[in-house]
Amino acid sequence: MQVLIVDDDDFALSVLEDTMQRMGYSVVCAHDGSEALDILRLGEIRLIITDWDMPAMNGLELCRAIRREDLAGYVYVIMLTGREGAKQRMDGLCSGADDFLNKPLDREELLVCLKTAERILSLETRDLALFALAKLAESRDSEAGAHVERVQGYSRVIAKNLSAEVKKHYGVDDEFIRLLFQTSPLHDLGKVGIPDAVLLKPGMLTPEEFAIMKTHAIVGAKTLDSALERFPSSRFLQMARDIAATHHEKFDGTGYPQGLSGEQIPLPGRIVAVADVYDALTNRRVYKNAMPHAEAMAIMRERRGTHFDPEVIDAFVRAEQLIVGVWDRLRDTVPQSPEQPEIIPKAFVGLADPTPCKILVVDDDPVILAKLTQLLAATGESIFPANNGEEALSIWRAHTPRVVVSDWVMPQRDGVDLCRQIRAHGADGPAHFIMLTGHSDKSRLLDAYQAGVDDFISKPFLPEELLAKVRAGIRTAKLYDEVVCKARGSQALNAQLTSVNSRLEKLSITDDLTGLFNRRHAMYKLEEQWGLSERYGRPLSVALLDIDHFKRVNDTHGHDAGDSILRQVAAILREHTRGTDSVCRVGGEEFLIVFPLQTMAEACICAARCRAAVEAHTFTTNNIRVKATISAGLAERAAGMTQFAELLRVADLALYEAKRTGRNKLITSDQIQPGPGEIAKTAPTLPGADPVNRPPVDINALLTRCGGDANFANALMERFRLQAGSEVGLIEEGLAKGDNTTLTRAAHNIKSMSAYLSADRASELAKRIEELGHKSALSELGPAVVQLRHEIDNANRLAQPARRQEARSLPMGLIPLLMPPLGLLVHRSIGKRPQRPNRPAINTHRRR
C-alpha cells in the first residue's frame, strides 16, 4: 500500500521513510502541505502521515485542505506530533485528522495505526464494489439456486488445503483466503452484459451464442477495472477483477478470453475455475441434468494438468469430504422442472428465485384470478389468491406478501382502498402494488398513485408484461431487504467498532499488570492538572512511591511473585486514595499519585496512610507470605516552577532521599536541600542541566524504535553525526548575527533529530533554544548553545565508532555505542542508582 509522508524536516522524513519501507510499505514523500495536496490530487494515495508543525501550511491546515478537496475517495490522515493534551488532539480531530502518533515514533504503535487505517479504507472500497454490484443486479437475475454460495464454500476449502509449498510461493494466508471467499461470488459479474436471448435461453447455445456468452469474462473485468482505476491499491477489487477475467482460462492455454496458461493465470482464477466447473457438473441446468458426485470427481481428475492447475486439483481431491459437505449444506431446495406450463413465455423459463417471494393476487372474477394464479405460480413464487378486498386484507395481515397484484374495480373494497389500507398499516417490508385496470382517466390514475400504487397493467394484459412487472417488484423488495440487512450490519459494525475503540482507549491508558493508569496517561493527567493549577491558582501535589528491595523479591521468589506483589500494592494504593486522585504505575516498581487541589501537607496524610497500609499488609503469593514496604517522595507546586517536569524532579529527589536514608519512609521536598549542580524546587530549570546521569543517547529506546535492527540504529547514528554538527553551526551563526529565523529553524531540526535518536537532553536544549529564538531573547541563549554543542559532541563520539562496526547481532552490533556510558548502563542493568541525586524527572528502571 502506498503511504504519503509529509514533513519539512529531512532527517525525520528519511527516518520515517526507512522505517515504513522496512515494514513493507511503498512510500511517497513531500516536504510541505502544498506538495502533498498535488500528490493527493492524482488519486493514487489514500493514506497520509503528516507532521503537525510545518512552515507555510502546517498539519492542521493540510487536514482542512484535504477535507475541502474533492479527492478520489476518502483520505485517512495520521497526524505526527509532539504535542500533548486533550485540547491539541481536539483541534486535530476537528481539522479532519483520523489518528495521532507521538514523537518520537514507536514502531509497534506506528504499525498498529497503519493496519487500522488499512482496515477502514478497505471497508470503503468493498462497500463501493458491493454497491456497484447491487446496482447492476437491479436489471438482471443471478444464477439459479445457491450457485455463488457453493462456489464461495468450494473456493475457501480448496485454498485452505493447498500444499505448504504453494501457500508459501503465492503468499496464501488467512487474509488471502478471506478475500477469496468475499470476491469469488463476483466471478460471473459480467453476465449482466449478456443479452436475454442468450443468457436466458432454455437449451444448448449455438456457436454464435456461445461466442457472445464468452464475453462475460471481459465485461466483468472491465466493470471492475473502472473501480480499480479509482482505488488501485485495493486487494479486494484486484482479486475480484482477476477472478472475473480468468476463471474460464485453462491451465494448458485453451481457455478464454485471453488463452492464458500455467502461472499466467492468477491463483484465485485457477481456484474458482475448479469450484465453478464442479458446481456446474453436480447441479442441474435447463440444458442438462445434475451429475453424481463420483462421476464429477472422475471428470475433474481427468482434466488435471489440462483444464485445471494440478496443485489446485490435488487440494480439491484432498478436501473431497469437505466439498461434499458444502454441496450437501447448500444444495438447491427448489425443484427445477424442465417442463413449464405453456402459459409461461419461453423468455421467462428458469427465472425462479431460490427463495420464493410471496405474491398476493386479488380479483373478483374467478376466471381471471385462476389465470393469474396459474401464471405466477408456475414461476416458483408463493401465490395467495383472494376474491375481494376484505379477504385480501386479511391475507396480507397474516402473511405480509411483498408483491400485490390487484384488480381496481371490486365490490366492498376496491383496489385503491386496499392499497391505501396496506400503506396505512405498514409491514415488515414495503409491498410493491400493481394495479390491473381498464381506466384511462388521468385524474383517476393520479388518485391511485397518491394512494400508493406503484405500477399499472392495462386489461387485457399480456403475460410477458405482467411477469416482467412482477419480477421488477420482486427485485425492488429484494433490494430493500439487502439495504435493510446492510444497514443492520453497519449498525452492528458501528457498535462493535465503538466497543473496540473503547477497549483500545482503555488499553492505551492502562498498565496491563496492575490495572492502574500507565506512564503516558500519568503525564497527561499531570499536565491537565498543572494547567488547571496555573489558571486558577490551585494547589497541586504529587507523590512518587517505590517498593523497597524489590529485586530481592524477584531473585528469591521469582517474577510471578513480584508481579503479584505489584498488583496487591496497586490495589492498596487505590483503596487508600480519593476518587479524584490519579494513581499510576510509571515504571518497574515505581508509582505516581497526583493530588489535585491538595497542599503537600494534605497529600502527606494520604501518602503516609498508603505507606502504613503497605507495611501492615502481608502479601500472599504462591502460598508464600512476604512482607514489603514502600518509600515515598512528595512535592508541591511552587511559585517559581514553570513546567510540571520540575515538580516531578523535586518529588524524585525527595524519593531518592527517602531511599538513601533508610527506606520505608516518606520525605517531603522541604526536607531536602539541593546539592551542587541541582535545581532548587522553587527555581525554573534550564533543560539538560544534568550532564552526568543520562547518556547522550538512550540506546535501548533507539533499538526499540528501530524494531531491534542494529544496522538501522547504526545508520541513524551516522546520519545524526553528519547533520547535527552543521545545524549547531547554524545556531551559533544565527546567534552571532542576531538572525533568530535561522537560529530557530536549525534548533527545530536538531530537536526533531534528537527526539528520533532518543537524545533527550539535546532535544530539550534545542526546544529551549527554539522557544527563546521565537521570543527574540537572544541574550539568554549563550549558556544553552554551549550546552547543546557539548551534547552533540558527546552523541557524535557514540556515532564515530558505529561507522566502523558492522552489526551482526542485536547485542553485539551496538557494543561500540554502549562503551562511553558503560558505567551508567551497568548501574541500570543491576538495578542500582548512581550515587548522585541529580537525575531525570522519572527513571523507569527499578530501584532496589
Side-chain angles (χ1 to χ4, degrees), residues 52-73:
W52 185 309
D53 296 309
M54 296 184 293
M57 179 185 288
N58 64 26
L60 294 183
E61 293 165 343
L62 175 59
C63 279
R64 296 188 188 104
I66 289 172
R67 299 309 176 212
R68 288 195 301 267
E69 289 273 336
D70 185 18
L71 300 173

Side-chain angles (χ1 to χ4, degrees), residues 612-629:
V614 171
E615 183 182 18
H617 186 77
T618 299
F619 296 88
T620 303
T621 173
N622 298 331
N623 296 321
I624 300 171
R625 297 167 68 84
V626 179
K627 299 294 288 185
T629 60

Side-chain angles (χ1 to χ4, degrees), residues 710-715 717-718 798-819:
N711 285 318
F712 188 22
N714 283 345
M717 294 288 292
E718 171 67 6
L798 289 181
Q800 288 167 358
R803 300 178 60 194
R804 302 188 295 270
Q805 175 68 25
E806 180 180 358
R808 301 184 183 277
S809 65
L810 178 59
M812 297 300 295
L814 286 175
I815 285 178
L817 303 183
L818 297 173
M819 293 304 294

Side-chain angles (χ1 to χ4, degrees), residues 12-63:
L13 199 63
S14 60
V15 170
L16 187 53
E17 181 182 11
D18 286 350
T19 301
M20 295 191 63
Q21 285 176 345
R22 290 165 185 268
M23 292 162 61
Y25 288 90
S26 175
V27 178
V28 178
C29 296
H31 291 83
D32 55 59
S34 299
E35 184 182 354
L37 280 176
D38 291 338
I39 294 172
L40 290 174
R41 288 181 184 124
L42 299 176
E44 299 176 356
I45 298 177
R46 301 177 57 222
L47 174 56
I48 175 174
I49 301 176
T50 178
D51 190 23
W52 185 309
D53 296 309
M54 296 184 293
M57 179 185 288
N58 64 26
L60 294 183
E61 293 165 343
L62 175 59
C63 279

